Amino acid sequence: MSRKLFIGILLSALILTFSSIPCLSAEKVTLMLDWYPNTNHSGIYAAKELGFYKKANISVKIVQPSKLSVEQLVGIGKADFGISFQDMASMAMGKGIPIISIAAIIQHNTSGYGFLKTSDISTPKDFEGKKYGTWGTDIEKATLRYVMRKFGGDISKVKFVNVGMLDFATGLKKGVFDFQWIFYGWEGIAAKLKGLKIGYIPLAKLDPIFDYYTPIIITSRKLAKNKPNLVRKFMQATAKGYEFAIAHPKKVAKILLKYSPELDKKVVYASQAWLSPRYKADAPYWGYQKKEVWERYTTWLFKEGFLKKKISLEEAFTNEFVKP
């Protein structure tokens, strides 16, 4: 038998052998958003579009919230991962919902109080006599009460107006309210693009307590314990998506618009340019969470009565799945 013929027979045998081995199908996971798609989620869509999940052999289905909360659905395993916030996640943990935070999407709180510059507001004390656009949550009221008291204000002199789904810019324009708790990187920028001259007081600047993680990525403690490799693969791919978003704000804005063409293009590009450097900010790597941030805010939640007992920080968050 010639050498050439022998090699040909050997290659044919190898091809037949490997073709008979079934391909490993991608592991399917569900990620539930906290709201409609926006620039907080850009890294996730980048990871999906650029094949980072596919390379990790993961198939990711992105869904929007249902009647139950993200925390509840992740806790009972109806969603594998979810977008939450440190305050909401902490209170869910306090009620026994078995979830854990596995990444901070943004390093510092980018929310605060927005208002028209003509409102004559410079500190929280100036909220007295004004109308506040509320969603009707206790955490809103407790936060507002705390910062107003710190600056010598009295929350009883604020009129609360329930706004439902009314957006910030429309509410200001129509005079429905004078100020509202907003995420500047989306609602504040959108209002400015609509021609409104707004003022803004960041919560993180009012007191270090409120420089907490918002939003975060959560999973169930069961999944983190029983399938750590899956969680790690998912988070490493997600981290690559956010690293891309940090380095390429225009490109990732285009990706987000591909998946959500209904979004306002100008808002997406402006928001992404503002937010991209804030994903990682001063952290050693994207997704990193500090113990003192969790300890500081959960202590406040406990003192304010939102937690019956302090939650275990070891069970509340971990950097295990995002550290390089």
Side-chain angles (χ1 to χ4, degrees):
M1 183 183 294
S2 70
R3 179 181 176 86
K4 188 175 181 181
L5 179 60
F6 174 76
I7 292 173
I9 293 170
L10 181 62
L11 286 173
S12 297
L14 286 170
I15 290 168
L16 284 170
T17 300
F18 283 105
S19 64
S20 65
I21 298 173
C23 294
L24 292 174
S25 59
E27 291 186 88
K28 295 180 180 180
V29 300
T30 300
L31 168 70
M32 179 164 284
L33 303 181
D34 54 304
W35 201 26
Y36 61 79
N38 59 73
T39 47
N40 282 347
H41 313 131
S42 295
I44 295 162
Y45 286 100
K48 190 174 180 72
E49 175 68 12
L50 299 173
F52 299 149
Y53 292 132
K54 186 177 182 180
K55 191 174 180 180
N57 202 35
I58 299 172
S59 174
V60 180
K61 182 180 180 182
I62 302 171
V63 298
Q64 292 187 44
S66 66
K67 291 181 180 179
L68 290 177
S69 72
V70 175
E71 297 79 21
Q72 288 172 313
L73 289 168
V74 170
I76 61 177
K78 293 297 183 181
D80 300 294
F81 303 95
I83 308 299
S84 182
F85 309 88
Q86 189 179 332
D87 50 354
M88 297 294 105
S90 296
M91 288 188 284
M93 293 172 197
K95 293 176 182 175
I97 296 176
I99 55 174
I100 185 168
S101 175
I102 51 177
I105 291 179
I106 306 171
Q107 271 301 302
H108 297 282
N109 191 346
T110 58
S111 72
Y113 298 108
F115 44 86
L116 290 174
K117 281 189 174 180
T118 54
S119 297
D120 196 28
I121 294 172
S122 57
T123 77
K125 179 173 173 53
D126 300 323
F127 294 155
E128 290 183 348
K130 304 292 193 300
K131 293 180 291 184
Y132 173 69
T134 179
W135 313 299
T137 65
D138 292 335
I139 196 76
E140 279 182 281
K141 198 165 187 177
T143 303
L144 183 59
R145 182 189 300 110
Y146 185 91
V147 296
M148 286 191 69
R149 186 189 300 138
K150 180 175 179 178
F151 285 83
D154 182 356
I155 195 173
S156 69
K157 296 179 181 179
V158 174
K159 182 180 180 181
F160 282 70
V161 180
N162 284 297
V163 295
M165 297 300 291
L166 183 67
D167 70 277
F168 174 61
T170 303
L172 285 181
K173 272 184 177 181
K174 293 186 175 181
V176 176
F177 52 79
D178 300 307
F179 71 106
Q180 190 178 34
W181 187 356
I182 64 168
F183 279 94
Y184 181 81
W186 189 260
E187 295 151 303
I189 285 173
K192 281 191 169 184
L193 287 173
K194 289 177 181 178
L196 296 178
K197 293 181 179 180
I198 67 165
Y200 175 71
I201 303 176
L203 264 171
K205 295 260 181 94
L206 294 177
D207 196 294
I209 288 171
F210 301 113
D211 193 12
Y212 56 86
Y213 297 121
T214 175
I216 57 176
I217 298 178
I218 60 171
T219 190
S220 66
R221 290 207 289 269
K222 182 179 179 181
L223 191 67
K225 181 181 178 181
N226 295 343
K227 292 189 175 182
N229 289 335
L230 172 61
V231 177
R232 186 172 292 105
K233 286 194 302 179
F234 173 80
M235 287 311 304
Q236 291 295 323
T238 302
K240 287 181 182 178
Y242 277 98
E243 286 161 6
F244 180 86
I246 291 166
H248 306 286
K250 289 183 179 179
K251 289 180 180 179
V252 81
K254 188 176 180 179
I255 289 172
L256 178 61
L257 285 165
K258 176 183 175 180
Y259 283 88
S260 300
E262 72 281 0
L263 297 176
D264 186 312
K265 186 176 179 180
K266 288 183 179 179
V267 173
V268 170
Y269 276 97
S271 172
Q272 195 64 63
W274 187 87
L275 194 56
S276 279
R278 289 171 168 81
Y279 288 131
K280 180 181 172 184
D282 52 356
Y285 49 84
W286 176 83
Y288 181 75
Q289 300 173 85
K290 292 180 180 178
K291 182 179 180 180
E292 54 263 39
V293 173
W294 275 88
E295 191 165 29
R296 190 169 56 210
Y297 190 63
T298 52
T299 297
W300 182 82
L301 288 173
F302 174 70
K303 288 180 178 178
E304 291 291 322
F306 290 103
L307 296 173
K308 291 182 179 179
K309 62 178 181 179
K310 289 187 179 180
I311 60 176
S312 166
L313 297 185
E314 287 71 25
E315 293 182 346
F317 79 96
T318 181
N319 290 314
E320 176 186 352
F321 303 111
V322 290
K323 63 183 178 183

